[in-house]
């Protein structure tokens, strides 16, 4: 609990208008370092054989990492909602990197990843975020669709296709 509380304070510090976070270089450095910690922690889950994870024979350290998926992705969600565009871009790029390297071990994190991508699709005010969200969505459909909870799949992807279909062919959001 101590770790997750301090983790949330750090994320809120980065994503809001704290005095120290006013410096864009400090803010971006903190965001990048936090994203690296999350990416590496989730990547560590891929190192233990997947079969043992399915049977519950995992080490205490790996069990703790499994349980940290939700706080990790909640942190990414807060960063993606930051008022600072560079933080939002870095966080969404990190979500994509996590999907590339560790998507096969995500379980409880899907319930946060999909709403992150939905919120980006709905908030089309930042043109750099739309291609990143769409690229993540393409990766999920191509590689991880069977891993998603069935109830989440139908609702989420119908919504995704509705949101992304509103971008015109000649717009910078078209892919």
């Amino acid at each position: 609990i101590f770790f997750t509380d301090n983790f949330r304070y750090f994320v809120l510090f980065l994503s809001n208008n704290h005095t120290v976070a006013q410096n864009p270089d400090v803010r971006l450095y903190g965001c990048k370092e936090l994203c690296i910690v999350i990416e590496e922690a989730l990547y560590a889950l891929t190192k233990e054989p997947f079969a043992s994870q399915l049977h519950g024979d995992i080490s205490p350290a790996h069990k703790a990492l499994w349980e940290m998926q939700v706080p990790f992705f909640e942190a990414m969600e807060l960063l993606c909602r930051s008022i600072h565009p560079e933080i939002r871009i870095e966080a969404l790029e990190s979500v994509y990197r996590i999907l590339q390297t560790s998507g096969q071990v995500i379980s409880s994190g899907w319930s946060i990843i999909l709403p992150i991508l939905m919120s980006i699709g709905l908030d089309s005010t930042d043109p750099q975020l739309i291609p990143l969200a769409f690229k993540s969505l393409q990766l999920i459909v191509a590689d991880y669709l069977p891993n998603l909870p069935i109830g989440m799949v139908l609702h989420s992807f119908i919504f995704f296709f509705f949101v992304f279909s509103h971008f015109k062919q000649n717009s910078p959001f078209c892919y």
Side-chain angles (χ1 to χ4, degrees):
I1 292 177
F2 174 76
F3 175 75
T4 56
D5 287 344
N6 285 334
F7 193 68
R8 284 189 188 110
Y9 292 135
F10 184 70
V11 171
L12 288 171
F13 162 81
L14 282 175
S15 60
N16 292 319
N17 264 338
H18 190 277
T19 307
V20 177
Q22 289 297 319
N23 182 330
D25 295 331
V26 170
R27 191 172 52 234
L28 188 57
Y29 176 78
C31 178
K32 284 182 178 189
E33 292 303 312
L34 180 63
C35 289
I36 288 170
V37 167
I38 294 171
E39 289 172 33
E40 290 299 318
L42 291 169
Y43 183 68
L45 289 174
T46 66
K47 295 300 179 187
E48 192 163 314
F50 193 69
S52 67
Q53 294 171 1
L54 292 175
H55 294 50
D57 300 334
I58 60 174
S59 67
H62 273 72
K63 184 174 187 215
L65 285 176
W66 277 102
E67 293 169 356
M68 287 299 294
Q69 282 189 32
V70 169
F72 283 159
F73 285 113
E74 284 174 344
M76 299 306 283
E77 182 178 34
L78 286 173
L79 292 174
C80 285
R81 286 190 279 150
S82 172
I83 60 172
H84 307 289
E86 72 277 6
I87 299 296
R88 293 171 53 168
I89 291 168
E90 180 62 34
L92 197 55
E93 287 174 349
S94 181
V95 168
Y96 181 72
R97 287 189 300 269
I98 289 168
L99 290 170
Q100 286 181 310
T101 60
S102 310
Q104 70 274 21
V105 295
I106 296 172
S107 56
S108 56
W110 290 118
S111 63
I112 300 166
I113 292 172
L114 294 176
I116 288 172
L117 297 175
M118 277 190 229
S119 69
I120 300 299
L122 289 173
D123 178 24
S124 58
T125 58
D126 192 343
Q128 291 177 304
L129 295 177
I130 302 299
L132 290 170
F134 192 73
K135 191 165 64 166
S136 296
L137 177 62
Q138 286 177 315
L139 182 62
I140 292 169
V141 169
D143 293 353
Y144 307 119
L145 203 54
N147 299 4
L148 298 175
I150 194 70
M152 187 181 294
V153 172
L154 189 58
H155 170 73
S156 297
F157 286 99
I158 289 172
F159 184 77
F160 278 129
F161 294 126
F162 173 76
V163 168
F164 285 108
S165 71
H166 283 78
F167 297 109
K168 301 208 182 314
Q169 286 284 351
N170 56 0
S171 80
F173 304 126
C174 185
Y175 314 101

